[in-house]
Amino acid sequence: MADGHARIDAQPEPVTADGGCHGGKAELTAAASKAGKSEVLARYAKDYPVGPHDQPQSMCPAFGSLRVGLRMRRTATILSGSACCVYGLTFTSHFYGARRSVGYVPFNSESLVTGKLFEDIRDAVFKIADPELYDSVVVTNLCVPTASGVPLQLLPKQINGVRIIGIDVPGFGIPTHAEAKDVLAGAMLNYARTEVEAGPVPAPKTRADKPSVTLLGEMFPADPMIIGRMLEPMGLAAGPVVPTREWRELYSALDCAVVAAIHPFYTASVREFEAAGRKVVGSAPVGRDGTAAWLQAIGEACGIAQDRIDGVKNAMIGAISAALAGSPIKGRITVSGYEGSELLVARLLIESGAEVDYVGTACPKTKWSDPDREWLEARGVTVNYRASLEQDLSAVDAIRPDLAIGTTPVVQHAKSLSIPSLYFTNLISARPLMGPAGGGSLAQVINAAIGNKARFDRMSAFFDGVGTGHATGIWEDTPTDRPEFKARYAKLQAAAAKAEEHVGT
């Protein structure tokens, strides 16, 4: 251990009875079920269904839960998984600005199959659980430990007053990293709820003097403040944003009048709020129609008089209408992403004047997004849940929009077609969307991007003739494609991978 964290040592790649971490989804799922993880996998299958499409392409889902833990004050994080996975996760997390150490308990085939890994994890947790430094320790099983049945549920619930949260976040059980945020947020809410039920808990640093609305889902930092200003005339306050930034905020989140499912896929978190007797309202205060409907739903859930609700609605609709009129968007746009707010963004674009034909989201369909889906479909928009990369690309090819908003590969594909494009996470999510401030927030970046069409055409013309795929570049003799060679080596590679799986049996 160094600085309270387990050391990352070079270890042999673990081999399980079903092909190690290189086994397919079916093999790893079967192994996990045999190893005693059938209950947790069944819960994940119900909470995060992959249908009607298969699991979308995404980064390792554990990135989502890892970020939630790393953003919380006085929270330590320990990962249990293959060294290559842990390296990738920690690298990505620090790339996104985390300034925390990540603990790792190394293992090899022997410690994995003999149960020694669990003992090593337990020892690491006891060493790191210092109440002077931490309120909680999060231990996460990645694919191989989950498939091998490493029983994190047997860890102590608390050590020296430090809460111990053990979760399984396997790539074969959690479809997207967005939903992995819910896995940890839900586990923490469950722990906090049992604490509240058992007796008095520490008071939060700040507490609203009015009934509060807990905001479920990460959003641009200004949005909770904007929502708070909209709620104030109704005698309500914006509560904490879940996932929270510190443990005591969980108590405030549970002690609310109503929960606003701004991001609609937090199924485990919703379950905890409902167990605490809290009502949950879907959608968000985005655009004229969305803000009016959301304020109405929140007001009704909190028992606010209709004339008071109407007063706030009328004021907000007037302000939002002015903001939208002052910042119009003209153009045809496709929207896709994995944040969970894709439908909200599409609504705002349409009310700004844009034509949106397609919205793809990697997240699942839930009743909390029904208001947004119904609003979009009533305007002829195709809404695609659990959208695959291929479906998002096909939409761009078929529609040929003036602007494509999407993930990195969608942006890359669109630009190769001389279509302006914007990365959803960095350029769209990084702006206010709620209320009057959201009304004009997208126009400048959207209109500037659409205005770049001529630049893309000039670049395409300049690079015309340099070839693509195997013929990329400028050649005296253009290389001849050899598909028969590729097919032969693909078969050899598949056979080698199959043989490697049998070695582990």
PDB file of all heavy atoms in Angstrom, residues 450-486:
ATOM      1  N   ILE A 450     -23.085  25.073 -38.280  1.00  0.00           N
ATOM      2  CA  ILE A 450     -23.761  24.946 -39.574  1.00  0.00           C
ATOM      3  C   ILE A 450     -23.122  25.873 -40.600  1.00  0.00           C
ATOM      4  O   ILE A 450     -22.983  25.526 -41.781  1.00  0.00           O
ATOM      5  CB  ILE A 450     -25.267  25.245 -39.410  1.00  0.00           C
ATOM      6  CG1 ILE A 450     -25.947  24.137 -38.587  1.00  0.00           C
ATOM      7  CG2 ILE A 450     -25.943  25.383 -40.778  1.00  0.00           C
ATOM      8  CD1 ILE A 450     -27.408  24.400 -38.273  1.00  0.00           C
ATOM      9  N   GLY A 451     -22.680  27.034 -40.155  1.00  0.00           N
ATOM     10  CA  GLY A 451     -22.045  27.989 -41.053  1.00  0.00           C
ATOM     11  C   GLY A 451     -20.693  27.548 -41.580  1.00  0.00           C
ATOM     12  O   GLY A 451     -20.138  28.189 -42.480  1.00  0.00           O
ATOM     13  N   ASN A 452     -20.164  26.451 -41.033  1.00  0.00           N
ATOM     14  CA  ASN A 452     -18.858  25.944 -41.474  1.00  0.00           C
ATOM     15  C   ASN A 452     -18.963  24.999 -42.668  1.00  0.00           C
ATOM     16  O   ASN A 452     -17.955  24.411 -43.072  1.00  0.00           O
ATOM     17  CB  ASN A 452     -18.154  25.217 -40.328  1.00  0.00           C
ATOM     18  CG  ASN A 452     -17.432  26.166 -39.394  1.00  0.00           C
ATOM     19  OD1 ASN A 452     -17.009  27.246 -39.813  1.00  0.00           O
ATOM     20  ND2 ASN A 452     -17.288  25.771 -38.147  1.00  0.00           N
ATOM     21  N   LYS A 453     -20.135  24.819 -43.208  1.00  0.00           N
ATOM     22  CA  LYS A 453     -20.314  23.876 -44.322  1.00  0.00           C
ATOM     23  C   LYS A 453     -19.358  24.170 -45.469  1.00  0.00           C
ATOM     24  O   LYS A 453     -18.755  23.260 -46.056  1.00  0.00           O
ATOM     25  CB  LYS A 453     -21.774  23.935 -44.793  1.00  0.00           C
ATOM     26  CG  LYS A 453     -22.064  23.177 -46.073  1.00  0.00           C
ATOM     27  CD  LYS A 453     -21.830  21.676 -45.924  1.00  0.00           C
ATOM     28  CE  LYS A 453     -22.242  20.957 -47.209  1.00  0.00           C
ATOM     29  NZ  LYS A 453     -21.824  19.534 -47.194  1.00  0.00           N
ATOM     30  N   ALA A 454     -19.200  25.446 -45.813  1.00  0.00           N
ATOM     31  CA  ALA A 454     -18.325  25.803 -46.934  1.00  0.00           C
ATOM     32  C   ALA A 454     -16.881  25.382 -46.664  1.00  0.00           C
ATOM     33  O   ALA A 454     -16.170  24.945 -47.582  1.00  0.00           O
ATOM     34  CB  ALA A 454     -18.406  27.306 -47.197  1.00  0.00           C
ATOM     35  N   ARG A 455     -16.456  25.483 -45.414  1.00  0.00           N
ATOM     36  CA  ARG A 455     -15.088  25.052 -45.064  1.00  0.00           C
ATOM     37  C   ARG A 455     -14.919  23.564 -45.313  1.00  0.00           C
ATOM     38  O   ARG A 455     -13.892  23.111 -45.841  1.00  0.00           O
ATOM     39  CB  ARG A 455     -14.796  25.349 -43.594  1.00  0.00           C
ATOM     40  CG  ARG A 455     -14.453  26.786 -43.294  1.00  0.00           C
ATOM     41  CD  ARG A 455     -14.150  26.961 -41.818  1.00  0.00           C
ATOM     42  NE  ARG A 455     -13.012  26.162 -41.387  1.00  0.00           N
ATOM     43  CZ  ARG A 455     -12.744  25.870 -40.126  1.00  0.00           C
ATOM     44  NH1 ARG A 455     -13.547  26.301 -39.165  1.00  0.00           N
ATOM     45  NH2 ARG A 455     -11.694  25.158 -39.800  1.00  0.00           N
ATOM     46  N   PHE A 456     -15.906  22.778 -44.909  1.00  0.00           N
ATOM     47  CA  PHE A 456     -15.814  21.331 -45.124  1.00  0.00           C
ATOM     48  C   PHE A 456     -15.800  20.996 -46.609  1.00  0.00           C
ATOM     49  O   PHE A 456     -15.073  20.098 -47.045  1.00  0.00           O
ATOM     50  CB  PHE A 456     -16.987  20.629 -44.427  1.00  0.00           C
ATOM     51  CG  PHE A 456     -16.802  20.491 -42.940  1.00  0.00           C
ATOM     52  CD1 PHE A 456     -17.394  21.379 -42.071  1.00  0.00           C
ATOM     53  CD2 PHE A 456     -16.015  19.468 -42.417  1.00  0.00           C
ATOM     54  CE1 PHE A 456     -17.218  21.260 -40.702  1.00  0.00           C
ATOM     55  CE2 PHE A 456     -15.838  19.340 -41.051  1.00  0.00           C
ATOM     56  CZ  PHE A 456     -16.435  20.234 -40.190  1.00  0.00           C
ATOM     57  N   ASP A 457     -16.597  21.716 -47.385  1.00  0.00           N
ATOM     58  CA  ASP A 457     -16.599  21.469 -48.829  1.00  0.00           C
ATOM     59  C   ASP A 457     -15.233  21.783 -49.436  1.00  0.00           C
ATOM     60  O   ASP A 457     -14.739  21.047 -50.304  1.00  0.00           O
ATOM     61  CB  ASP A 457     -17.681  22.317 -49.509  1.00  0.00           C
ATOM     62  CG  ASP A 457     -19.086  21.823 -49.191  1.00  0.00           C
ATOM     63  OD1 ASP A 457     -19.231  20.636 -48.820  1.00  0.00           O
ATOM     64  OD2 ASP A 457     -20.038  22.624 -49.302  1.00  0.00           O
ATOM     65  N   ARG A 458     -14.610  22.887 -48.989  1.00  0.00           N
ATOM     66  CA  ARG A 458     -13.282  23.237 -49.512  1.00  0.00           C
ATOM     67  C   ARG A 458     -12.252  22.184 -49.127  1.00  0.00           C
ATOM     68  O   ARG A 458     -11.401  21.811 -49.947  1.00  0.00           O
ATOM     69  CB  ARG A 458     -12.853  24.608 -48.969  1.00  0.00           C
ATOM     70  CG  ARG A 458     -13.584  25.792 -49.591  1.00  0.00           C
ATOM     71  CD  ARG A 458     -12.840  27.098 -49.364  1.00  0.00           C
ATOM     72  NE  ARG A 458     -12.623  27.382 -47.951  1.00  0.00           N
ATOM     73  CZ  ARG A 458     -13.497  28.027 -47.172  1.00  0.00           C
ATOM     74  NH1 ARG A 458     -14.652  28.446 -47.688  1.00  0.00           N
ATOM     75  NH2 ARG A 458     -13.238  28.267 -45.912  1.00  0.00           N
ATOM     76  N   MET A 459     -12.329  21.687 -47.889  1.00  0.00           N
ATOM     77  CA  MET A 459     -11.378  20.652 -47.467  1.00  0.00           C
ATOM     78  C   MET A 459     -11.581  19.369 -48.248  1.00  0.00           C
ATOM     79  O   MET A 459     -10.612  18.707 -48.656  1.00  0.00           O
ATOM     80  CB  MET A 459     -11.511  20.395 -45.969  1.00  0.00           C
ATOM     81  CG  MET A 459     -10.905  21.485 -45.105  1.00  0.00           C
ATOM     82  SD  MET A 459     -10.797  21.023 -43.362  1.00  0.00           S
ATOM     83  CE  MET A 459     -12.526  21.038 -42.909  1.00  0.00           C
ATOM     84  N   SER A 460     -12.840  19.005 -48.470  1.00  0.00           N
ATOM     85  CA  SER A 460     -13.112  17.784 -49.233  1.00  0.00           C
ATOM     86  C   SER A 460     -12.587  17.912 -50.656  1.00  0.00           C
ATOM     87  O   SER A 460     -12.016  16.963 -51.212  1.00  0.00           O
ATOM     88  CB  SER A 460     -14.619  17.504 -49.252  1.00  0.00           C
ATOM     89  OG  SER A 460     -15.089  17.188 -47.960  1.00  0.00           O
ATOM     90  N   ALA A 461     -12.782  19.080 -51.239  1.00  0.00           N
ATOM     91  CA  ALA A 461     -12.282  19.297 -52.595  1.00  0.00           C
ATOM     92  C   ALA A 461     -10.755  19.247 -52.626  1.00  0.00           C
ATOM     93  O   ALA A 461     -10.155  18.685 -53.553  1.00  0.00           O
ATOM     94  CB  ALA A 461     -12.782  20.641 -53.123  1.00  0.00           C
ATOM     95  N   PHE A 462     -10.117  19.822 -51.601  1.00  0.00           N
ATOM     96  CA  PHE A 462      -8.660  19.851 -51.555  1.00  0.00           C
ATOM     97  C   PHE A 462      -8.082  18.447 -51.450  1.00  0.00           C
ATOM     98  O   PHE A 462      -7.076  18.121 -52.085  1.00  0.00           O
ATOM     99  CB  PHE A 462      -8.205  20.693 -50.366  1.00  0.00           C
ATOM    100  CG  PHE A 462      -6.715  20.790 -50.226  1.00  0.00           C
ATOM    101  CD1 PHE A 462      -5.986  21.687 -50.998  1.00  0.00           C
ATOM    102  CD2 PHE A 462      -6.023  19.978 -49.334  1.00  0.00           C
ATOM    103  CE1 PHE A 462      -4.607  21.778 -50.878  1.00  0.00           C
ATOM    104  CE2 PHE A 462      -4.643  20.059 -49.207  1.00  0.00           C
ATOM    105  CZ  PHE A 462      -3.933  20.964 -49.979  1.00  0.00           C
ATOM    106  N   PHE A 463      -8.731  17.601 -50.631  1.00  0.00           N
ATOM    107  CA  PHE A 463      -8.205  16.256 -50.410  1.00  0.00           C
ATOM    108  C   PHE A 463      -8.824  15.218 -51.341  1.00  0.00           C
ATOM    109  O   PHE A 463      -8.571  14.027 -51.197  1.00  0.00           O
ATOM    110  CB  PHE A 463      -8.449  15.829 -48.949  1.00  0.00           C
ATOM    111  CG  PHE A 463      -7.568  16.537 -47.964  1.00  0.00           C
ATOM    112  CD1 PHE A 463      -8.069  17.542 -47.154  1.00  0.00           C
ATOM    113  CD2 PHE A 463      -6.226  16.211 -47.856  1.00  0.00           C
ATOM    114  CE1 PHE A 463      -7.256  18.203 -46.255  1.00  0.00           C
ATOM    115  CE2 PHE A 463      -5.405  16.869 -46.957  1.00  0.00           C
ATOM    116  CZ  PHE A 463      -5.925  17.878 -46.149  1.00  0.00           C
ATOM    117  N   ASP A 464      -9.600  15.670 -52.297  1.00  0.00           N
ATOM    118  CA  ASP A 464     -10.216  14.728 -53.215  1.00  0.00           C
ATOM    119  C   ASP A 464      -9.148  13.959 -53.989  1.00  0.00           C
ATOM    120  O   ASP A 464      -8.171  14.542 -54.469  1.00  0.00           O
ATOM    121  CB  ASP A 464     -11.124  15.488 -54.200  1.00  0.00           C
ATOM    122  CG  ASP A 464     -11.893  14.540 -55.105  1.00  0.00           C
ATOM    123  OD1 ASP A 464     -12.355  13.493 -54.602  1.00  0.00           O
ATOM    124  OD2 ASP A 464     -12.017  14.839 -56.295  1.00  0.00           O
ATOM    125  N   GLY A 465      -9.327  12.658 -54.091  1.00  0.00           N
ATOM    126  CA  GLY A 465      -8.393  11.848 -54.856  1.00  0.00           C
ATOM    127  C   GLY A 465      -7.299  11.195 -54.045  1.00  0.00           C
ATOM    128  O   GLY A 465      -6.462  10.469 -54.604  1.00  0.00           O
ATOM    129  N   VAL A 466      -7.254  11.436 -52.728  1.00  0.00           N
ATOM    130  CA  VAL A 466      -6.190  10.827 -51.923  1.00  0.00           C
ATOM    131  C   VAL A 466      -6.537   9.406 -51.513  1.00  0.00           C
ATOM    132  O   VAL A 466      -5.721   8.713 -50.902  1.00  0.00           O
ATOM    133  CB  VAL A 466      -5.872  11.672 -50.664  1.00  0.00           C
ATOM    134  CG1 VAL A 466      -5.420  13.055 -51.063  1.00  0.00           C
ATOM    135  CG2 VAL A 466      -7.077  11.726 -49.736  1.00  0.00           C
ATOM    136  N   GLY A 467      -7.728   8.972 -51.839  1.00  0.00           N
ATOM    137  CA  GLY A 467      -8.089   7.592 -51.554  1.00  0.00           C
ATOM    138  C   GLY A 467      -8.672   7.397 -50.169  1.00  0.00           C
ATOM    139  O   GLY A 467      -8.580   8.269 -49.301  1.00  0.00           O
ATOM    140  N   THR A 468      -9.277   6.233 -49.987  1.00  0.00           N
ATOM    141  CA  THR A 468      -9.840   5.856 -48.688  1.00  0.00           C
ATOM    142  C   THR A 468      -9.517   4.400 -48.409  1.00  0.00           C
ATOM    143  O   THR A 468      -9.143   3.645 -49.317  1.00  0.00           O
ATOM    144  CB  THR A 468     -11.370   6.038 -48.675  1.00  0.00           C
ATOM    145  OG1 THR A 468     -11.954   5.223 -49.701  1.00  0.00           O
ATOM    146  CG2 THR A 468     -11.774   7.487 -48.891  1.00  0.00           C
ATOM    147  N   GLY A 469      -9.676   4.016 -47.130  1.00  0.00           N
ATOM    148  CA  GLY A 469      -9.456   2.623 -46.753  1.00  0.00           C
ATOM    149  C   GLY A 469      -8.049   2.160 -47.085  1.00  0.00           C
ATOM    150  O   GLY A 469      -7.058   2.842 -46.784  1.00  0.00           O
ATOM    151  N   HIS A 470      -7.948   1.009 -47.763  1.00  0.00           N
ATOM    152  CA  HIS A 470      -6.627   0.461 -48.089  1.00  0.00           C
ATOM    153  C   HIS A 470      -5.867   1.331 -49.092  1.00  0.00           C
ATOM    154  O   HIS A 470      -4.640   1.236 -49.207  1.00  0.00           O
ATOM    155  CB  HIS A 470      -6.784  -0.947 -48.664  1.00  0.00           C
ATOM    156  CG  HIS A 470      -7.315  -0.948 -50.074  1.00  0.00           C
ATOM    157  ND1 HIS A 470      -8.657  -0.800 -50.356  1.00  0.00           N
ATOM    158  CD2 HIS A 470      -6.690  -1.046 -51.279  1.00  0.00           C
ATOM    159  CE1 HIS A 470      -8.838  -0.825 -51.660  1.00  0.00           C
ATOM    160  NE2 HIS A 470      -7.660  -0.971 -52.251  1.00  0.00           N
ATOM    161  N   ALA A 471      -6.585   2.199 -49.824  1.00  0.00           N
ATOM    162  CA  ALA A 471      -5.945   3.036 -50.845  1.00  0.00           C
ATOM    163  C   ALA A 471      -5.687   4.450 -50.356  1.00  0.00           C
ATOM    164  O   ALA A 471      -5.425   5.343 -51.162  1.00  0.00           O
ATOM    165  CB  ALA A 471      -6.825   3.074 -52.098  1.00  0.00           C
ATOM    166  N   THR A 472      -5.780   4.679 -49.041  1.00  0.00           N
ATOM    167  CA  THR A 472      -5.548   6.013 -48.511  1.00  0.00           C
ATOM    168  C   THR A 472      -4.134   6.485 -48.858  1.00  0.00           C
ATOM    169  O   THR A 472      -3.160   5.750 -48.682  1.00  0.00           O
ATOM    170  CB  THR A 472      -5.731   6.020 -46.984  1.00  0.00           C
ATOM    171  OG1 THR A 472      -7.079   5.658 -46.688  1.00  0.00           O
ATOM    172  CG2 THR A 472      -5.461   7.397 -46.404  1.00  0.00           C
ATOM    173  N   GLY A 473      -4.017   7.712 -49.347  1.00  0.00           N
ATOM    174  CA  GLY A 473      -2.715   8.267 -49.710  1.00  0.00           C
ATOM    175  C   GLY A 473      -2.651   8.555 -51.198  1.00  0.00           C
ATOM    176  O   GLY A 473      -3.630   8.404 -51.944  1.00  0.00           O
ATOM    177  N   ILE A 474      -1.490   8.999 -51.640  1.00  0.00           N
ATOM    178  CA  ILE A 474      -1.257   9.289 -53.058  1.00  0.00           C
ATOM    179  C   ILE A 474      -0.261   8.271 -53.577  1.00  0.00           C
ATOM    180  O   ILE A 474       0.844   8.142 -53.038  1.00  0.00           O
ATOM    181  CB  ILE A 474      -0.735  10.724 -53.242  1.00  0.00           C
ATOM    182  CG1 ILE A 474      -1.761  11.736 -52.698  1.00  0.00           C
ATOM    183  CG2 ILE A 474      -0.436  11.020 -54.707  1.00  0.00           C
ATOM    184  CD1 ILE A 474      -1.287  13.162 -52.710  1.00  0.00           C
ATOM    185  N   TRP A 475      -0.649   7.520 -54.608  1.00  0.00           N
ATOM    186  CA  TRP A 475       0.153   6.389 -55.083  1.00  0.00           C
ATOM    187  C   TRP A 475       0.437   6.519 -56.585  1.00  0.00           C
ATOM    188  O   TRP A 475      -0.398   7.007 -57.345  1.00  0.00           O
ATOM    189  CB  TRP A 475      -0.592   5.065 -54.847  1.00  0.00           C
ATOM    190  CG  TRP A 475      -1.067   4.862 -53.446  1.00  0.00           C
ATOM    191  CD1 TRP A 475      -2.244   5.281 -52.910  1.00  0.00           C
ATOM    192  CD2 TRP A 475      -0.377   4.179 -52.416  1.00  0.00           C
ATOM    193  NE1 TRP A 475      -2.335   4.904 -51.596  1.00  0.00           N
ATOM    194  CE2 TRP A 475      -1.199   4.212 -51.255  1.00  0.00           C
ATOM    195  CE3 TRP A 475       0.860   3.525 -52.328  1.00  0.00           C
ATOM    196  CZ2 TRP A 475      -0.829   3.638 -50.055  1.00  0.00           C
ATOM    197  CZ3 TRP A 475       1.228   2.933 -51.140  1.00  0.00           C
ATOM    198  CH2 TRP A 475       0.400   3.002 -50.014  1.00  0.00           C
ATOM    199  N   GLU A 476       1.606   6.032 -56.978  1.00  0.00           N
ATOM    200  CA  GLU A 476       1.836   5.848 -58.410  1.00  0.00           C
ATOM    201  C   GLU A 476       1.029   4.652 -58.892  1.00  0.00           C
ATOM    202  O   GLU A 476       0.423   4.677 -59.965  1.00  0.00           O
ATOM    203  CB  GLU A 476       3.331   5.631 -58.683  1.00  0.00           C
ATOM    204  CG  GLU A 476       4.170   6.885 -58.453  1.00  0.00           C
ATOM    205  CD  GLU A 476       5.626   6.666 -58.833  1.00  0.00           C
ATOM    206  OE1 GLU A 476       5.925   5.592 -59.418  1.00  0.00           O
ATOM    207  OE2 GLU A 476       6.454   7.542 -58.564  1.00  0.00           O
ATOM    208  N   ASP A 477       1.053   3.589 -58.088  1.00  0.00           N
ATOM    209  CA  ASP A 477       0.251   2.403 -58.389  1.00  0.00           C
ATOM    210  C   ASP A 477      -0.648   2.152 -57.184  1.00  0.00           C
ATOM    211  O   ASP A 477      -0.159   1.753 -56.110  1.00  0.00           O
ATOM    212  CB  ASP A 477       1.151   1.187 -58.634  1.00  0.00           C
ATOM    213  CG  ASP A 477       2.042   1.379 -59.846  1.00  0.00           C
ATOM    214  OD1 ASP A 477       1.508   1.778 -60.897  1.00  0.00           O
ATOM    215  OD2 ASP A 477       3.263   1.136 -59.713  1.00  0.00           O
ATOM    216  N   THR A 478      -1.942   2.407 -57.318  1.00  0.00           N
ATOM    217  CA  THR A 478      -2.872   2.254 -56.204  1.00  0.00           C
ATOM    218  C   THR A 478      -2.884   0.807 -55.730  1.00  0.00           C
ATOM    219  O   THR A 478      -2.998  -0.124 -56.546  1.00  0.00           O
ATOM    220  CB  THR A 478      -4.298   2.656 -56.640  1.00  0.00           C
ATOM    221  OG1 THR A 478      -4.261   3.995 -57.107  1.00  0.00           O
ATOM    222  CG2 THR A 478      -5.269   2.531 -55.475  1.00  0.00           C
ATOM    223  N   PRO A 479      -2.734   0.568 -54.430  1.00  0.00           N
ATOM    224  CA  PRO A 479      -2.727  -0.804 -53.911  1.00  0.00           C
ATOM    225  C   PRO A 479      -4.014  -1.540 -54.269  1.00  0.00           C
ATOM    226  O   PRO A 479      -5.107  -0.955 -54.278  1.00  0.00           O
ATOM    227  CB  PRO A 479      -2.602  -0.611 -52.400  1.00  0.00           C
ATOM    228  CG  PRO A 479      -2.015   0.740 -52.238  1.00  0.00           C
ATOM    229  CD  PRO A 479      -2.534   1.567 -53.376  1.00  0.00           C
ATOM    230  N   THR A 480      -3.867  -2.804 -54.567  1.00  0.00           N
ATOM    231  CA  THR A 480      -5.022  -3.644 -54.885  1.00  0.00           C
ATOM    232  C   THR A 480      -5.544  -4.290 -53.616  1.00  0.00           C
ATOM    233  O   THR A 480      -4.776  -4.886 -52.851  1.00  0.00           O
ATOM    234  CB  THR A 480      -4.632  -4.739 -55.882  1.00  0.00           C
ATOM    235  OG1 THR A 480      -4.115  -4.121 -57.065  1.00  0.00           O
ATOM    236  CG2 THR A 480      -5.844  -5.598 -56.236  1.00  0.00           C
ATOM    237  N   ASP A 481      -6.832  -4.137 -53.369  1.00  0.00           N
ATOM    238  CA  ASP A 481      -7.423  -4.751 -52.181  1.00  0.00           C
ATOM    239  C   ASP A 481      -7.422  -6.265 -52.341  1.00  0.00           C
ATOM    240  O   ASP A 481      -7.590  -6.789 -53.444  1.00  0.00           O
ATOM    241  CB  ASP A 481      -8.863  -4.244 -51.994  1.00  0.00           C
ATOM    242  CG  ASP A 481      -9.393  -4.562 -50.619  1.00  0.00           C
ATOM    243  OD1 ASP A 481      -8.586  -4.927 -49.736  1.00  0.00           O
ATOM    244  OD2 ASP A 481     -10.621  -4.448 -50.417  1.00  0.00           O
ATOM    245  N   ARG A 482      -7.186  -6.976 -51.222  1.00  0.00           N
ATOM    246  CA  ARG A 482      -7.152  -8.436 -51.224  1.00  0.00           C
ATOM    247  C   ARG A 482      -8.134  -8.975 -50.191  1.00  0.00           C
ATOM    248  O   ARG A 482      -7.743  -9.430 -49.118  1.00  0.00           O
ATOM    249  CB  ARG A 482      -5.738  -8.933 -50.907  1.00  0.00           C
ATOM    250  CG  ARG A 482      -4.677  -8.468 -51.880  1.00  0.00           C
ATOM    251  CD  ARG A 482      -4.789  -9.182 -53.222  1.00  0.00           C
ATOM    252  NE  ARG A 482      -3.679  -8.858 -54.101  1.00  0.00           N
ATOM    253  CZ  ARG A 482      -3.545  -9.346 -55.325  1.00  0.00           C
ATOM    254  NH1 ARG A 482      -4.466 -10.170 -55.790  1.00  0.00           N
ATOM    255  NH2 ARG A 482      -2.514  -9.002 -56.071  1.00  0.00           N
ATOM    256  N   PRO A 483      -9.427  -8.921 -50.472  1.00  0.00           N
ATOM    257  CA  PRO A 483     -10.403  -9.375 -49.479  1.00  0.00           C
ATOM    258  C   PRO A 483     -10.250 -10.834 -49.117  1.00  0.00           C
ATOM    259  O   PRO A 483     -10.573 -11.240 -48.003  1.00  0.00           O
ATOM    260  CB  PRO A 483     -11.749  -9.099 -50.171  1.00  0.00           C
ATOM    261  CG  PRO A 483     -11.431  -9.009 -51.632  1.00  0.00           C
ATOM    262  CD  PRO A 483     -10.059  -8.438 -51.709  1.00  0.00           C
ATOM    263  N   GLU A 484      -9.736 -11.647 -50.060  1.00  0.00           N
ATOM    264  CA  GLU A 484      -9.570 -13.069 -49.738  1.00  0.00           C
ATOM    265  C   GLU A 484      -8.509 -13.267 -48.654  1.00  0.00           C
ATOM    266  O   GLU A 484      -8.616 -14.166 -47.813  1.00  0.00           O
ATOM    267  CB  GLU A 484      -9.212 -13.868 -50.998  1.00  0.00           C
ATOM    268  CG  GLU A 484      -7.834 -13.569 -51.603  1.00  0.00           C
ATOM    269  CD  GLU A 484      -7.820 -12.339 -52.511  1.00  0.00           C
ATOM    270  OE1 GLU A 484      -8.819 -11.597 -52.495  1.00  0.00           O
ATOM    271  OE2 GLU A 484      -6.820 -12.131 -53.216  1.00  0.00           O
ATOM    272  N   PHE A 485      -7.469 -12.408 -48.644  1.00  0.00           N
ATOM    273  CA  PHE A 485      -6.459 -12.485 -47.593  1.00  0.00           C
ATOM    274  C   PHE A 485      -7.067 -12.131 -46.235  1.00  0.00           C
ATOM    275  O   PHE A 485      -6.833 -12.802 -45.238  1.00  0.00           O
ATOM    276  CB  PHE A 485      -5.296 -11.541 -47.898  1.00  0.00           C
ATOM    277  CG  PHE A 485      -4.451 -11.951 -49.075  1.00  0.00           C
ATOM    278  CD1 PHE A 485      -3.466 -11.108 -49.570  1.00  0.00           C
ATOM    279  CD2 PHE A 485      -4.635 -13.174 -49.690  1.00  0.00           C
ATOM    280  CE1 PHE A 485      -2.680 -11.482 -50.644  1.00  0.00           C
ATOM    281  CE2 PHE A 485      -3.851 -13.563 -50.770  1.00  0.00           C
ATOM    282  CZ  PHE A 485      -2.888 -12.707 -51.260  1.00  0.00           C
ATOM    283  N   LYS A 486      -7.871 -11.055 -46.227  1.00  0.00           N
ATOM    284  CA  LYS A 486      -8.503 -10.628 -44.976  1.00  0.00           C
ATOM    285  C   LYS A 486      -9.414 -11.712 -44.432  1.00  0.00           C
ATOM    286  O   LYS A 486      -9.437 -11.989 -43.226  1.00  0.00           O
ATOM    287  CB  LYS A 486      -9.291  -9.336 -45.212  1.00  0.00           C
ATOM    288  CG  LYS A 486      -8.429  -8.134 -45.595  1.00  0.00           C
ATOM    289  CD  LYS A 486      -9.287  -6.918 -45.877  1.00  0.00           C
ATOM    290  CE  LYS A 486      -8.448  -5.735 -46.341  1.00  0.00           C
ATOM    291  NZ  LYS A 486      -9.280  -4.566 -46.687  1.00  0.00           N
TER     292      LYS A 486
END
